[in-house]
């Protein structure tokens, strides 16, 4: 049993609240560590340290800040396996998937090496008689991020890397379910040259979240998690005058047109629907074949692929397709939704309810499930399952398939598989979803574009990473300057238009 810590002012600090959360090994069901849950006083201490450290960092020129990011990239590559192994042990995802988690965060850090270019302002020479106008981007001060369990490396880096590159201090409140990798990242940032107090990790639950939301020093808050909590954080944070971006749940549809390559579509659905045990906000959980013939062909391709999936712990090798879900509660919720699908009349084509893994009977493993003939009023369609469950909703036409994606309250990601360029273009232009894949099942943009959904998948007007990150973590200041030349006579009492 390991007692984890907070990371405050460049040091590991024991929790003082007396409250802890268990950190499980999802493969065995055993408690492997205790995570301290901070109170408001502990959060206030971290904020005070950040507030004191930030001015000097904000005054450091962007090129020097970028060099810290360069070195951080090198250290991430050096420690990739160590980070991935720790991540797999606490989260349960396979080792290759854990490395991908770190890699996609690393790519955002690489983008932040370009901070000097991204932070350049604008300048107008001679806007009026002897008048120049220029704007500059300046850091907010102290920012905070509240991140989920499913990407304990990637999403923290999506937040703290641009925040720090812009000159802010950052307080990270990671998920208490798998907090070790965020603590390791804070150590690596300081090894890369980041001064102490600029990146701190404060573990906690709702008490820590509220301490962030009601602290006047914290200027911005980022969040990724469920939609109800996203709504709460967005509403509360905005009411306190903070800049807030919140990313909520998802129900991602993949439309399969009759002309699609059915093997390609089936392979895409296997990876997008069952990878990481479905614990991804960009997982495809709804397949929408257009026409019964298309649906029958797709199901025929899917069933043998699903039945061959290898489920096991990350220690079983790189050929494991997916591991356990994160907690016993998550497993129970998934199994309850599967039962609701059966009760409400969906056809369970592949039944994973009796899945057991010898030697890991107490682990949080969930077998793969495939439903057919799901209808929009069913709970398994309405709710985000966050597990290895794929629902098939048959559509009679392209317009009906498009309407399914557009009518759902979530709008994170979607995809269409087709050989028809006109259908693909029409879909991309019309669908009211933030990220669209064309023959790409998980359309997560690369680091130099922005990530964000629509509808109830997002609250706020700026996306994550890419150019939007540099807008979110800075304020624009515009200066109008006049340097008079020669002798000026008297004052002016009217506001003249620029000549």
């Amino acid at each position: 049993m390991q007692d984890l810590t907070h990371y405050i002012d460049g040091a590991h600090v024991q929790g003082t609240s007396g409250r802890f959360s268990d950190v499980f090994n999802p493969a065995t069901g055993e408690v492997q560590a205790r995570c301290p849950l901070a109170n408001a006083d502990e959060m206030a201490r971290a904020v005070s340290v950040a507030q004191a450290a930030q001015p000097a960092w904000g005054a450091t020129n962007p090129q020097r800040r970028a060099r810290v990011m360069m070195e951080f990239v090198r250290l991430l590559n050096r420690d990739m396996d160590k980070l991935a192994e720790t991540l797999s042990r606490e989260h349960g995802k396979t080792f290759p998937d854990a490395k991908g988690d770190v890699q996609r965060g690393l790519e955002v850090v690489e983008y932040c090496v370009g901070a000097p270019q991204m932070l350049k302002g604008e300048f107008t020479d001679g806007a009026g008689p002897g008048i120049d106008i220029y704007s500059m981007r300046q850091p907010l001060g102290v920012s905070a991020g509240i991140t989920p369990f499913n990407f304990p490396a990637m999403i923290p880096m999506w937040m703290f890397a641009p925040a720090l590159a812009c000159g802010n201090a950052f307080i990270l409140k990671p998920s208490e379910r798998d907090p070790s990798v965020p603590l390791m990242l804070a150590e690596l940032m300081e090894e890369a040259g980041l001064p102490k107090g600029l990146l701190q990790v404060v573990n906690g639950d709702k008490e820590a979240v509220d301490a962030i939301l009601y602290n006047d020093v914290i200027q911005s808050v980022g969040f990724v998690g469920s939609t109800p909590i996203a709504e709460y954080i967005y509403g509360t944070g905005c009411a306190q005058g903070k800049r807030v971006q919140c990313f909520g749940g998802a129900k991602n549809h993949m439309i399969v047109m009759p002309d699609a390559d059915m093997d390609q579509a089936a392979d895409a659905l296997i990876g997008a629907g069952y990878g990481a045990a479905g614990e991804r906000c960009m997982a495809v959980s709804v397949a929408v074949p257009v026409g019964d013939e298309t649906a029958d062909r797709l199901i025929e391709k899917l069933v043998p692929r699903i039945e061959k999936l290898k489920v096991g712990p990350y220690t079983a090798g790189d050929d494991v397709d997916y591991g356990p879900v994160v907690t016993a509660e998550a497993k129970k919720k998934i199994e309850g939704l599967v039962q609701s699908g059966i009760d409400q009349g969906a056809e369970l084509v592949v039944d994973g309810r009796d899945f057991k893994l010898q030697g890991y009977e107490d682990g949080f493993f969930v077998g793969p499930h495939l439903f057919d003939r799901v209808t929009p009023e069913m709970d398994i369609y309405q709710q985000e399952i966050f597990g290895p469950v794929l629902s098939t909703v048959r559509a009679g036409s392209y317009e009906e398939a498009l309407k399914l994606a557009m009518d759902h309250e979530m709008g994170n990601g979607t995809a269409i598989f087709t050989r028809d360029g006109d259908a693909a273009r029409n879909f991309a232009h019309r669908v009211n979803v933030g990220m669209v894949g064309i023959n790409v099942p998980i359309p997560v943009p690369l680091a130099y574009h922005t990530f964000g959904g629509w509808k109830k998948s997002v609250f706020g007007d700026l996306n994550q990473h890419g150019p939007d990150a540099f807008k979110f973590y800075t304020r624009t200041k515009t200066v109008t300057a006049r340097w008079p030349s020669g002798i000026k006579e008297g004052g002016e009492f009217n506001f003249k238009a620029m000549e």
Side-chain angles (χ1 to χ4, degrees):
M1 174 71 71
Q2 180 186 7
D3 275 346
L4 300 176
T5 63
H6 308 299
Y7 194 80
I8 298 174
D9 200 13
H12 288 277
V13 177
Q14 297 292 326
T16 60
S17 72
R19 298 188 306 118
F20 296 88
S21 177
D22 289 337
V23 179
F24 291 89
N25 180 331
T28 65
E30 297 172 331
V31 177
Q32 59 183 326
R34 294 196 312 166
C35 176
L37 303 176
N39 57 29
D41 290 340
E42 290 170 294
M43 183 63 72
R45 183 197 165 195
V47 172
S48 178
V49 169
Q51 186 179 24
Q54 188 275 327
W57 179 244
T60 301
N61 72 62
Q63 190 169 358
R64 291 185 181 275
R65 298 199 297 258
R67 287 173 186 161
V68 173
M69 296 296 159
M70 289 183 195
E71 178 62 8
F72 184 47
V73 168
R74 186 187 73 81
L75 296 175
L76 287 171
N77 281 304
R78 182 197 72 185
D79 289 0
M80 178 70 73
D81 287 355
K82 180 180 177 182
L83 290 162
E85 199 279 331
T86 302
L87 197 158
S88 292
R89 189 173 64 247
E90 289 188 351
H91 177 280
K93 64 177 65 178
T94 66
F95 188 68
D97 199 24
K99 290 179 73 172
D101 189 329
V102 178
Q103 179 64 37
R104 290 306 293 263
L106 183 154
E107 290 167 4
V108 171
V109 182
E110 289 177 327
Y111 180 74
C112 291
V113 172
Q117 167 69 21
M118 297 303 299
L119 293 172
K120 287 196 305 185
E122 298 172 329
F123 188 92
T124 299
D125 175 52
I131 293 176
D132 303 323
I133 299 178
Y134 60 95
S135 64
M136 45 190 170
R137 291 197 168 276
Q138 295 189 318
L140 302 176
V142 179
S143 295
I146 302 160
T147 57
F149 76 87
N150 60 325
F151 286 98
M154 181 184 78
I155 294 178
M157 285 191 272
W158 281 12
M159 293 184 187
F160 73 66
L164 293 169
C166 289
N168 299 285
F170 194 87
I171 294 171
L172 173 63
K173 204 298 291 179
S175 171
E176 62 274 22
R177 297 174 186 174
D178 46 10
S180 291
V181 168
L183 291 165
M184 295 166 71
L185 294 176
E187 290 180 314
L188 288 180
M189 277 299 307
E190 290 185 6
E191 185 180 346
L194 185 72
K196 294 179 180 180
L198 291 169
L199 176 58
Q200 300 177 97
V201 180
V202 182
N203 293 298
D205 53 8
K206 186 177 184 296
E207 186 172 345
V209 169
D210 285 342
I212 288 171
L213 296 175
Y214 289 99
N215 190 295
D216 292 339
V217 173
I218 295 174
Q219 298 297 299
S220 74
V221 179
F223 170 80
V224 176
S226 69
T227 288
I229 299 175
E231 288 182 296
Y232 170 74
I233 290 174
Y234 185 73
T236 306
C238 289
Q240 301 305 309
K242 302 184 190 306
R243 180 176 291 180
V244 187
Q245 59 174 188
C246 291
F247 297 82
K251 198 70 178 179
N252 305 319
H253 298 66
M254 186 175 122
I255 284 74
V256 182
M257 297 294 289
D259 67 340
D261 182 317
M262 215 53 62
D263 286 304
Q264 182 190 42
D267 287 339
L269 281 166
I270 293 297
Y274 300 98
E279 292 179 320
R280 296 170 174 158
C281 67
M282 289 294 284
V284 171
S285 56
V286 182
V288 187
V290 176
D292 281 336
E293 182 184 351
T294 306
D296 292 341
R297 287 191 293 139
L298 181 63
I299 294 292
E300 183 182 1
K301 296 285 186 182
L302 284 172
V303 170
R305 285 168 165 83
I306 296 169
E307 290 175 342
K308 290 178 183 177
L309 286 172
K310 182 176 179 181
V311 182
Y314 78 94
T315 51
D318 289 354
D319 62 337
V320 172
D321 293 305
Y322 73 83
V325 296
V326 69
T327 61
E329 289 76 14
K331 179 180 178 180
K332 183 178 179 181
K333 177 188 174 185
I334 295 163
E335 292 172 341
L337 282 166
V338 168
Q339 188 59 49
S340 79
I342 296 168
D343 295 342
Q344 292 172 7
E347 180 185 341
L348 187 58
V349 180
V350 178
D351 186 350
R353 288 176 295 173
D354 294 329
F355 178 83
K356 298 291 181 184
L357 190 62
Q358 187 174 0
Y360 294 90
E361 289 82 1
D362 294 329
F364 311 138
F365 292 95
V366 178
H369 296 75
L370 173 64
F371 278 103
D372 192 11
R373 303 186 187 278
V374 174
T375 55
E377 70 275 4
M378 294 179 182
D379 291 341
I380 55 171
Y381 180 80
Q382 291 293 332
Q383 296 184 35
E384 182 177 31
I385 300 176
F386 232 55
V389 181
L390 179 63
S391 297
T392 306
V393 181
R394 296 178 176 229
S397 65
Y398 165 73
E399 289 294 334
E400 185 181 332
L402 174 65
K403 188 173 187 299
L404 283 166
M406 294 188 69
D407 284 353
H408 201 282
E409 67 176 5
M410 305 294 184
N412 213 39
T414 190
I416 186 170
F417 272 63
T418 181
R419 291 187 176 98
D420 186 338
D422 179 57
R425 189 172 186 273
N426 180 279
F427 182 77
H429 278 261
R430 290 174 63 191
V431 72
N432 57 350
V433 174
M435 291 168 283
V436 181
I438 298 173
N439 298 316
V440 174
I442 304 180
V444 176
L446 292 175
Y448 41 88
H449 289 268
T450 66
F451 176 103
W454 286 15
K455 298 184 283 188
K456 284 199 172 183
S457 291
V458 67
F459 301 87
D461 59 349
L462 289 170
N463 286 344
Q464 292 196 88
H465 64 68
D468 273 15
F470 285 86
K471 296 176 183 176
F472 183 76
Y473 288 110
T474 59
R475 289 191 181 97
T476 300
K477 180 182 288 181
T478 304
V479 180
T480 303
R482 168 180 277 171
W483 296 99
S485 59
I487 299 173
K488 302 299 179 186
E489 297 180 1
E492 294 179 353
F493 295 96
N494 63 322
F495 186 83
K496 289 187 175 182
M498 296 294 184
E499 297 176 4

